[in-house]
Amino acid sequence: LDSNGFVTTPPYNQSSTRITKYTGTQTTVDAGLKAAFPGWTDQFVGRNCAYVAIRMTRSANTAAFAVGVPAFSWLVRGHACYDPRDGAQSATDATTWKDSTNAAIIAANYLVHPLGAALPVTAVDWSDVATAALVCDESVTLASGSVEPRYQSAVVWTTDERHETVLERAGAAMGGGVYLVGQKYRCRTASLAVPSPLPTIGVDDYISDGVTFSDTPPIASSVNGVRGTFTSPLHAYEVRDFPSYQDATALSADDGVASWLDLDLASVTSATQAQRLARIAYQKARNSVGVSLRVNFAWFN
C-alpha cells in the first residue's frame, strides 16, 4: 500500500483499490465510508474495534475482477498481555501490558481478558505463572543448529466458545494448562522442574486409601505413534499436519499394528515445537501410570 492506502501491486493497482486499516484506537469515522453511505454517521467510529475498510473500483480494471471480488485475509497482532516478570507492568493497568507469544502468559491472560473468561486479576496466581513463563522462554536448540523458545502460542477464539475449550487449546501449546487449585488458577507446563521446597505430606494427612496407583493400559491397546495438526506460517497460517512420530520398538512389540494418538495443536505455529509436544504426549500415553492422592482438607490449597 502507498501512503494513502492504495494498492500498488498488479493487477489491483489498476482498479483503484484502497485499503484503510484501523487498530481500535481510532477516534473518528472513516471518511470514505461516510461519503459512500448516507446512513454512515460520525458515530460509526468503531471504538476499541479493529477493522479494515476496502474500496474497489471495478470499472478501472475489469480483468482484476474476472472471477469476482478477491478473498482477503489478515495477519493480526493479538491483545496485550500482563507479564508478572516485568516490573514496569501492573496487573491492574492494562495500558502497561505488552504483546507476548509466551504460552503461559497467553493462557493466563485469557482468564482475565474481558472477551475471555473475564475473571478478576486476583483470581490468578501470577507468581506461579511467572515460573511457568520462564520454562516457556527457555531456548531449545534444534537439529539445524538454530534456537527457539520452548513453548510459544498464538491462540485465537470466538466469543461463543466454551472457556474450557479455549483453555484446552491454549494449554496444549505448553503440554499443560491453567488449573483452578484451591482458590486461584495456577499454571503448569510440560517440564521436569519440581516445586521447591517440596511439601511434606505424612501418614496422618491421608484419608481413605491415601495413595493409590492405577494399572497401566494393556500394551495391545496402547498407542505406538503420534500425529496431528498445527498452524503453519509457511502456508499462510493454515492448519497443516506436522511430521508424525512412531516408535519402531513399540510398533514391533504391538505386532506391527499401528495405533495413533491424534493431537490438535492449532495454537502452535512451529513444526518443531509441535514435534516436541507430540513426543511428550506419546510418552504420557504409552508409559504413564495414574496416581491418586487423597488428603484431608488442610491441603485444599
Side-chain angles (χ1 to χ4, degrees):
L1 308 182
D2 65 16
S3 59
N4 293 315
F6 285 100
V7 176
T8 60
T9 306
Y12 301 107
N13 59 329
Q14 302 173 31
S15 62
S16 299
T17 299
R18 188 178 188 182
I19 299 175
T20 311
K21 297 179 286 185
Y22 295 95
T23 63
T25 59
Q26 65 274 3
T27 57
T28 58
V29 68
D30 180 88
L33 292 175
K34 181 182 178 182
F37 301 103
W40 208 271
T41 71
D42 288 332
Q43 294 179 326
F44 293 2
V45 174
R47 291 181 176 85
N48 299 317
C49 178
Y51 76 96
V52 177
I54 307 172
R55 290 173 290 276
M56 311 183 78
T57 305
R58 180 186 178 95
S59 59
N61 182 11
T62 57
F65 303 96
V67 293
V69 176
F72 290 88
S73 62
W74 309 92
L75 296 181
V76 181
R77 175 182 295 173
H79 66 83
C81 294
Y82 170 60
D83 189 335
R85 302 170 298 170
D86 184 353
Q89 297 186 36
S90 169
T92 57
D93 184 359
T95 62
T96 63
W97 300 0
K98 300 177 181 178
D99 296 331
S100 177
T101 59
N102 184 289
I105 296 298
I106 289 176
N109 274 265
Y110 173 81
L111 293 171
V112 301
H113 193 278
L115 295 180
L119 297 174
V121 293
T122 54
V124 179
D125 185 336
W126 291 106
S127 63
D128 198 69
V129 173
T131 300
L134 292 175
V135 175
C136 294
D137 277 345
E138 291 174 354
S139 293
V140 177
T141 302
L142 308 180
S144 63
S146 60
V147 297
E148 70 177 8
R150 186 172 298 279
Y151 300 129
Q152 296 187 92
S153 177
V155 178
V156 177
W157 74 86
T158 57
T159 53
D160 60 348
E161 291 187 273
R162 291 178 56 85
H163 298 316
E164 293 82 0
T165 302
V166 181
L167 289 172
E168 181 180 0
R169 195 158 63 242
M174 55 182 169
V178 287
Y179 309 98
L180 183 61
V181 181
Q183 301 175 45
K184 289 183 179 290
Y185 280 88
R186 298 182 179 178
C187 190
R188 294 292 179 266
T189 63
S191 170
L192 292 178
V194 295
S196 180
L198 291 172
T200 301
I201 300 177
V203 175
D204 293 337
D205 297 312
Y206 298 150
I207 60 173
S208 186
D209 296 331
V211 182
T212 58
F213 294 86
S214 63
D215 294 333
T216 56
I219 290 295
S221 62
S222 184
V223 299
N224 48 47
V226 60
R227 60 192 178 187
T229 56
F230 80 114
T231 300
S232 173
L234 297 178
H235 301 89
Y237 292 90
E238 294 179 352
V239 175
R240 296 294 180 97
D241 292 338
F242 60 78
S244 61
Y245 167 75
Q246 191 161 48
D247 187 335
T249 301
L251 180 63
S252 177
D254 297 344
D255 296 327
V257 179
S259 179
W260 294 97
L261 171 66
D262 292 304
L263 293 183
D264 177 6
L265 300 177
S267 59
V268 174
T269 57
S270 163
T272 47
Q273 178 181 332
Q275 287 176 296
R276 288 197 301 276
L277 291 165
R279 290 290 295 269
I280 293 171
Y282 168 74
Q283 293 293 343
K284 286 182 178 180
R286 180 80 185 186
N287 300 314
S288 64
V289 176
V291 182
S292 174
L293 173 64
R294 302 191 65 185
V295 294
N296 60 39
F297 196 73
W299 290 92
F300 177 70
N301 279 323

